[in-house]
Each structure stands twice: as C-alpha cells, then as structure tokens.
Amino acid sequence: MAAQEDRLFEAKIEDCLRLGEKRPAFLGFLDLSERAYAEEYLRRAHAENYRFFGGFPEAERTVLGVFPDYMEPLDEEFPVTGLTVKFRRQDVLSHRDFMGSFLAQGVVRASLGDILAEEGRAVLFVKTELAPHFLSQIDKIGRVGVQITKGFTDPLPQAHSFQPMGGVVASERLDCLVSFLAGTGREKAAQMVHAGLVSVNHRETDSVSHRVNEGDIISIRRCGRFIVDMLGPVTKKGRLSVKCRKYI
C-alpha cells in the first residue's frame, strides 16, 4: 500500500480498536496483504482481544474483529454469512465469473469474502447485512441461472490447486529461493527483490538476505505465488534441499 493508503488504513484499525473497547467492532473483508499489515500494526499497538475470521478456518479474505475484554471472540459474533450457489454442472463458472457479476451489480469488494467454486456449486462468504440482497436479487451469473441459499455443507470446494516443485538452493536466503522459484540467476533474483517485486507472507521484502522459513508464502510479481513446504536436509555437496508448491 502507498503511504497515504497506509495512513487511511491505520486510521480504520485505530477506530476499530477504540470502538472494540466497549462493543465488538469489525473491519473487512481484508485481503492477505491488508491482514498482514493489520497484524503488524496490532502487535505494535499491543492489542490482545482480537482475531480474524472469514467464515471457515482456511479463509484468505477475513474480517478483523476487536472485542471488549469481557467477550470471547467467537465465530458466531462475526458479521459473516456463508451462501451456497447451485447451477447446472454443464455450466462452468469460475471465481472470475462470480466476481465480475457481483462487482457489475455494485457490490463492493470489501463486502465479499472468499468465493469457492466447483462443478455445479459455489460457496461464497459475504457480510451478513448483504446476504438478503444475494438471496433475493441474484438469480444469474452472467447468462447462467443460479439458485442461492443460506448456509453451506462440508467439504467446501477446493480453493486452490498446486504444482509441486523440488530442487536444491545454496541457503535459506531470499535471493536463493527467488532464483529457484523464478527459474532465473541469483543476480537477476536479487534485482527482483530490490525492485520490490517480491513479498514474503504478503509483505513486500527488499532484503536479499532475508531468511526464509518453512511455511512461508513467497509471491513474485509476474511469476506467481509459492508455499515453502520443506527446507533441508543438506546434500552431500553442502546445498539445501527444498520442496515448494506453486499456486495454479
């Protein structure tokens, strides 16, 4: 986020913290980058009684909830509603189709959580105040007829698929991992890091010597997003084995 956007976002978090002293207060839906920024800010502010929730445990888009000391931040307190969309299996609808249709109808992106689509079904999460609109006003996505009902059943549609990757790198340094993931030389990888093209756990990182850990998510602009699953063991030649997954 740019400096002015940072200040505006911080002001929203501060308002949420202030209101949350007396009653539950909420901000979002936030994307992964916004959530990472908010978590950093909340740590600096020594905030304690808060959590992020997006309708299910693995949600990427989440609402920040700040609660008074006397309240436990439970799932049911969040203004998040899950909806199920049914359509004919032969009608293929993607995340992009749903997003385009909702935005064209004037729905604000911050009011929408994750959209999980599969054959014949999608599950989406929205701000509770908007649920009646979806239930009563939306019967088509593009040209495809749909039926929307409240609630959802497990298992949820899979949010992502992955391509496994494995190899060796010189060390856990960020430039080494970027070189491997982007399939480029170490010098070019360093240039990409310095140019602000690389994020670790959704925060831009410009230090080539940043130490990458297992579980970190590395995003490289124009190359994709990757999860680092395993670092090690060290090979006989002193290099580090690495296993990752690329979001596809």
Side-chain angles (χ1 to χ4, degrees), residues 142-206:
R143 296 180 179 179
V144 176
V146 300
Q147 180 181 15
I148 302 180
T149 56
K150 189 174 181 179
F152 60 92
T153 57
D154 291 323
L156 290 172
Q158 188 175 349
H160 299 286
S161 55
F162 298 93
Q163 174 188 338
M165 302 175 65
V168 293
V169 295
S171 75
E172 301 98 331
R173 282 170 54 110
L174 182 58
D175 57 345
C176 295
L177 268 297
V178 171
S179 175
F180 165 68
L181 296 171
T184 189
R186 184 96 169 261
E187 184 177 345
K188 175 65 174 177
Q191 292 173 357
M192 295 167 76
V193 175
H194 288 312
L197 302 181
V198 178
S199 297
V200 179
N201 297 328
H202 319 295
R203 298 294 290 155
E204 185 180 304
T205 307
D206 59 8

Side-chain angles (χ1 to χ4, degrees), residues 201-226:
N201 297 328
H202 319 295
R203 298 294 290 155
E204 185 180 304
T205 307
D206 59 8
S207 170
V208 295
S209 60
H210 175 89
R211 181 187 173 93
V212 176
N213 296 300
E214 291 181 353
D216 282 353
I217 297 176
I218 299 176
S219 300
I220 308 171
R221 205 170 302 167
R222 294 190 292 273
C223 290
R225 184 156 54 119
F226 310 82

Side-chain angles (χ1 to χ4, degrees), residues 36-219:
Y37 190 100
E39 288 178 322
E40 204 173 278
Y41 185 89
L42 290 164
R43 282 194 296 270
R44 293 199 308 267
H46 304 292
E48 293 182 355
N49 201 27
Y50 69 89
R51 66 178 293 229
F52 295 87
F53 181 67
F56 65 107
E58 298 80 20
E60 292 195 353
R61 291 183 61 82
T62 53
V63 172
L64 165 63
V66 179
F67 296 82
D69 293 338
Y70 61 85
M71 284 189 68
E72 186 177 352
L74 301 173
D75 294 354
E76 52 266 30
E77 299 292 342
F78 280 76
V80 175
T81 296
L83 303 174
T84 295
V85 185
K86 293 286 185 68
F87 49 94
R88 298 189 310 170
R89 297 180 70 88
Q90 58 265 40
D91 291 325
V92 178
L93 289 175
S94 67
H95 180 281
R96 180 176 296 182
D97 294 322
F98 285 100
M99 278 301 306
S101 179
F102 295 153
L103 294 177
Q105 295 183 52
V107 178
V108 179
R109 185 68 181 100
S111 297
L112 291 169
D114 285 10
I115 301 171
L116 311 175
E118 63 182 5
E119 283 188 3
R121 178 180 76 134
V123 176
L124 57 106
F125 296 87
V126 303
K127 285 190 174 178
T128 298
E129 65 194 48
L130 277 184
H133 169 77
F134 283 83
L135 293 167
S136 65
Q137 300 299 319
I138 298 179
D139 57 10
K140 282 189 176 182
I141 301 296
R143 296 180 179 179
V144 176
V146 300
Q147 180 181 15
I148 302 180
T149 56
K150 189 174 181 179
F152 60 92
T153 57
D154 291 323
L156 290 172
Q158 188 175 349
H160 299 286
S161 55
F162 298 93
Q163 174 188 338
M165 302 175 65
V168 293
V169 295
S171 75
E172 301 98 331
R173 282 170 54 110
L174 182 58
D175 57 345
C176 295
L177 268 297
V178 171
S179 175
F180 165 68
L181 296 171
T184 189
R186 184 96 169 261
E187 184 177 345
K188 175 65 174 177
Q191 292 173 357
M192 295 167 76
V193 175
H194 288 312
L197 302 181
V198 178
S199 297
V200 179
N201 297 328
H202 319 295
R203 298 294 290 155
E204 185 180 304
T205 307
D206 59 8
S207 170
V208 295
S209 60
H210 175 89
R211 181 187 173 93
V212 176
N213 296 300
E214 291 181 353
D216 282 353
I217 297 176
I218 299 176
S219 300

